[in-house]
Structures are given as C-alpha cells and as structure tokens.
C-alpha cells in the first residue's frame, strides 16, 4: 500500500449540474436555490469530486465548450513513453500498488463468467457504498425493458428531497416529462438523486410514495440475493444511507460486470456527456446536458465507465471497467480518498499486464 497521504475533502454530495435550457418562457423554480430558472447564463455546480464550475444553463442551439484543456502536442511522445513505462512497471508488480484496501479486480472474459484477478486486504469487508448504489437501481429498472419508453413527470418532491439530503442532482425541473431511459441517463451520468427517486417512486408498487420506494428497494435486495452478493444490502435507491446501505468491493465489481451485460446500461455509462430534451409543463421544450462524474472516461484508453460515489461515511468510491485487446476488466474501490481514479488506473494497468 502506498503510504503517501492525499487530500480527503468529503462532502455528502457534490452536485453535478445539468445544463438546462427552455425554448420559450422559463418555468418558475421554487426548489430553494437548487437551480436557477432555465434562463441563459444561470450556473450552479459542484461535482462529486468537489470541483466547481462544471455546468451552466444554455439557450437552444448553444454548444458546450471543451470541458478539459488538451495537452500540448509536444507532450505526446513523453505521454506515450510514460504509459509504456507504467505498463512495464505493472507487469513486474505482484499486486497493484494502490492506496485503497477495499478494492477488487476481475476479468469479465466473455461476460458469462468472470475470473478473479486481485483483491485488496479488505475486498470482502462490507462498507458504505454511496452512489454506486445506483448501479443496482438501474439493474432493477432494466429487468423490465418495456418500461424504457414510459413517460414520467418530475414532481417537486424530487427536487425537495435533493435539497433536504444535500444530494447530487440532474437538475430535473418540476413538471418536465422524461422517459425512463432518459431518467437512467440522468441518474447514472451526473449521479442525479432526483432521477433515482423518480424511478423508484414510479416503478415500485404501492399507494404512497414511501410504499412504492420501499417496494423498489426490496426489489434491489432481492436482485442482490439472486446474484449472490452476500455482502450487500440496500436501504435506499440512491446511496444516501439510513444506516444499512453497504457492500463489498468484490460484490460491486461483480454487480458492475453483470450490469455491463445490459446494452442500455453499457451505452449510458460510457458517455462523457449526454444531451437530451424533454417536454416542459408549459408545453415548451427543455434541453438538458449532463456531464459524467467518471474521470476515467477521459483519462484511460478503453474506459467503459460505470459509476462514482462519495459521502462523509463512504469516502470516495468507484466501480469501473475498461476493454483492451478483447479483454474487459471490471473493478471496484470503496472508502478511498480523492486518488480513486489514480488507484483505478493502476489496477487496470496491472490487470492488463497479467
């Protein structure tokens, strides 16, 4: 294990912002400052890596500028040499040299089976998993492909919930109508707790919101049992724990591998950014832009995404995957610091070298 310390600033969430625009008059927004009305220039952001300024409202037809600075061309040869050296170092290591103890890596092979590559010292210890919970939320939804085109109207209580718990948001606007598939994008890309609540509330069974959500969470736990995730239990749809929401790195890697077998899931989580439109309450069209919280998609060749998470109890977590030379590796890291993407990179480099 590396002994160096990394910064470890944890917030309950970082709000990963959706860029929102409305063609026509802006809808009034009353969600206590969570979002500005959809007018040009309104901004509010803080992703789950505690970075500011990642999103802004936009008028119809506007294109978002490049999110990250490109490296100078002359640095490319050095980068290539550096990657080659890292690959050689990984090949010579008996295990990945990372900071996290709660870590696990598997080779997904053809998807129908997996092979364990490496597990950290605490790969089987159940700990809080934060927003990686939403992988199972998506898996339960995708058991019913007939739901994907179902229309769901955003309730004010979804926005109020995000404000109450300090959750991450897709900035869904009250009264907008989106499909289940759009809400999956809103939940998995910017990690929207509002989108997760909309899915649980509308796809669970019961006469009240609480009953429907409880039923949906029961479906999540039933699926965990069916998949043999013995160290996993859910008490919510989004990772905001009520004291009994936990998993292991081994379980989450297996869950990530199973989720990637769903083409819709795999297509969603590989997006660095996603743009869509929805019908607003006043009949106008709302435009949404969501940026992915997973930095590996921009920094690691062959990255397939999956899901980030963070919180005061959980620390920083990451379920990740990459494909190279017809091999797909899937890994999970829990209770890490802000260096989780570096740790994931080292794990993948090591895995591809073995």
């Amino acid at each position: 294990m590396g002994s160096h310390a990394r910064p470890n600033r944890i917030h309950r969430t970082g709000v990963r912002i959706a860029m929102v625009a409305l063609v026509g008059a802006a809808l009034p927004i009353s969600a206590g400052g969570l979002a500005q009305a959809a007018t040009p220039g309104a901004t509010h952001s803080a992703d789950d890596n505690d970075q500011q300024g990642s999103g802004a409202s936009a008028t119809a037809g506007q294109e978002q500028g490049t999110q990250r600075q490109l490296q100078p061309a002359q640095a490319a040869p050095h980068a290539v040499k550096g990657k080659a050296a890292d690959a050689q170092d990984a090949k010579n290591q008996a295990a990945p040299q990372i900071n996290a103890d709660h870590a696990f890596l598997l080779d997904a092979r053809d998807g129908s089976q997996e092979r364990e590559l490496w597990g950290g010292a605490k790969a089987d210890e159940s700990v809080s998993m934060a927003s990686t919970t939403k992988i199972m939320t998506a898996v339960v939804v995708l058991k019913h492909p007939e739901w994907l085109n179902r229309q769901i109207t955003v309730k004010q209580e979804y926005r109020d919930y995000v404000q109450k718990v300090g959750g991450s948001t897709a900035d869904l606007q009250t009264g907008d109508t989106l499909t289940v598939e759009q809400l999956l994008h809103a939940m998995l890309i910017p990690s929207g707790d509002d989108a997760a609540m909309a899915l649980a509330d509308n796809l669970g069974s019961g006469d009240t919101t609480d009953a429907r959500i409880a039923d949906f969470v029961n479906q999540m736990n039933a699926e965990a049992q069916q998949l043999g995730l013995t160290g996993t239990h859910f008490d919510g749809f989004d990772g905001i724990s009520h004291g009994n929401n936990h998993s292991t790195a081994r379980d989450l890697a297996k869950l990530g591998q199973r989720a990637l077998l769903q083409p819709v899931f795999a297509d969603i989580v590989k997006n660095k950014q996603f743009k869509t439109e929805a019908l607003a309450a006043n009949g106008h069209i709302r435009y949404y832009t969501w940026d992915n919280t997973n930095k590996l998609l921009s920094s690691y060749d062959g990255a397939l995404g999956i899901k980030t998470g963070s919180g005061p109890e959980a620390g920083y977590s990451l379920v990740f995957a990459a494909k190279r030379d017809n091999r797909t590796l899937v890994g999970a890291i829990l209770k890490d610091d802000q260096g989780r993407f570096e740790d994931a990179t080292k794990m993948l480099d090591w895995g591809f070298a073995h």
Side-chain angles (χ1 to χ4, degrees), residues 118-191:
W118 174 80
K122 298 181 179 179
D124 295 310
E125 180 178 284
S126 291
V127 294
S128 181
M129 56 181 147
S131 282
T132 59
T133 296
K134 292 166 183 163
I135 302 170
M136 183 60 89
T137 307
V139 167
V140 169
V141 172
L142 290 170
K143 287 175 71 70
H144 301 275
E146 69 276 10
W147 287 348
L148 288 175
N149 292 321
R150 180 172 169 179
Q151 302 279 328
I152 291 177
T153 300
V154 178
K155 298 178 184 178
Q156 179 63 38
E157 66 183 295
Y158 305 156
R159 294 179 61 87
D160 293 343
Y161 168 76
V162 170
Q163 185 180 28
K164 178 182 177 181
V165 301
S168 51
T169 179
D171 202 21
L172 301 177
Q173 302 293 300
T174 303
D176 285 7
T177 301
L178 298 93
T179 66
V180 167
E181 187 166 359
Q182 286 176 309
L183 289 171
L184 284 171
H185 283 80
M187 178 181 70
L188 293 170
I189 295 176
S191 199

Side-chain angles (χ1 to χ4, degrees), residues 285-300:
I285 299 299
R286 179 101 58 194
Y287 290 91
Y288 286 96
T289 297
W290 297 309
D291 292 320
N292 205 313
T293 57
N294 191 340
K295 289 182 177 180
L296 283 185
L297 289 168
S298 296
S299 65
Y300 197 85

Side-chain angles (χ1 to χ4, degrees), residues 28-39:
I29 305 300
S30 57
L34 256 183
Q36 302 287 332
T39 52

Side-chain angles (χ1 to χ4, degrees), residues 49-262:
N49 303 311
D50 194 31
Q51 293 184 357
Q52 302 292 325
S54 60
S57 297
T59 56
Q62 281 184 318
E63 295 294 332
Q64 185 185 32
T66 302
Q67 293 295 307
R68 298 175 177 84
Q69 295 294 323
L70 297 176
Q71 295 296 323
Q74 59 267 30
H78 298 289
V80 172
K81 290 179 181 178
K83 288 182 178 180
D86 290 343
Q88 185 60 44
D89 287 345
K91 189 172 183 178
N92 293 334
Q93 293 169 358
Q97 302 300 301
I98 67 169
N99 186 64
D101 289 324
H102 299 83
F104 188 82
L105 184 68
L106 61 82
D107 189 331
R109 296 192 174 184
D110 62 0
S112 63
Q113 57 183 330
E114 68 270 348
R115 176 173 66 94
E116 177 179 346
L117 287 177
W118 174 80
K122 298 181 179 179
D124 295 310
E125 180 178 284
S126 291
V127 294
S128 181
M129 56 181 147
S131 282
T132 59
T133 296
K134 292 166 183 163
I135 302 170
M136 183 60 89
T137 307
V139 167
V140 169
V141 172
L142 290 170
K143 287 175 71 70
H144 301 275
E146 69 276 10
W147 287 348
L148 288 175
N149 292 321
R150 180 172 169 179
Q151 302 279 328
I152 291 177
T153 300
V154 178
K155 298 178 184 178
Q156 179 63 38
E157 66 183 295
Y158 305 156
R159 294 179 61 87
D160 293 343
Y161 168 76
V162 170
Q163 185 180 28
K164 178 182 177 181
V165 301
S168 51
T169 179
D171 202 21
L172 301 177
Q173 302 293 300
T174 303
D176 285 7
T177 301
L178 298 93
T179 66
V180 167
E181 187 166 359
Q182 286 176 309
L183 289 171
L184 284 171
H185 283 80
M187 178 181 70
L188 293 170
I189 295 176
S191 199
D193 292 345
D194 43 358
M197 185 177 184
L199 290 167
D201 179 32
N202 285 273
L203 303 180
S205 297
D207 295 330
T208 66
T209 296
D210 287 346
R212 290 188 293 272
I213 288 174
D215 175 73
F216 189 90
V217 174
N218 286 338
Q219 294 180 54
M220 294 169 67
N221 283 312
E223 186 66 14
Q225 275 193 317
Q226 185 175 344
L227 293 176
L229 308 181
T230 57
T232 298
H233 186 271
F234 301 100
D235 67 6
F237 50 79
D238 58 357
I240 302 294
S241 179
H242 305 287
N244 196 22
N245 200 81
H246 53 81
S247 188
T248 70
R250 183 189 300 270
D251 280 1
L252 283 179
K254 290 181 177 181
L255 177 60
Q257 184 263 332
R258 296 301 178 91
L260 285 177
L261 295 179
Q262 297 282 348

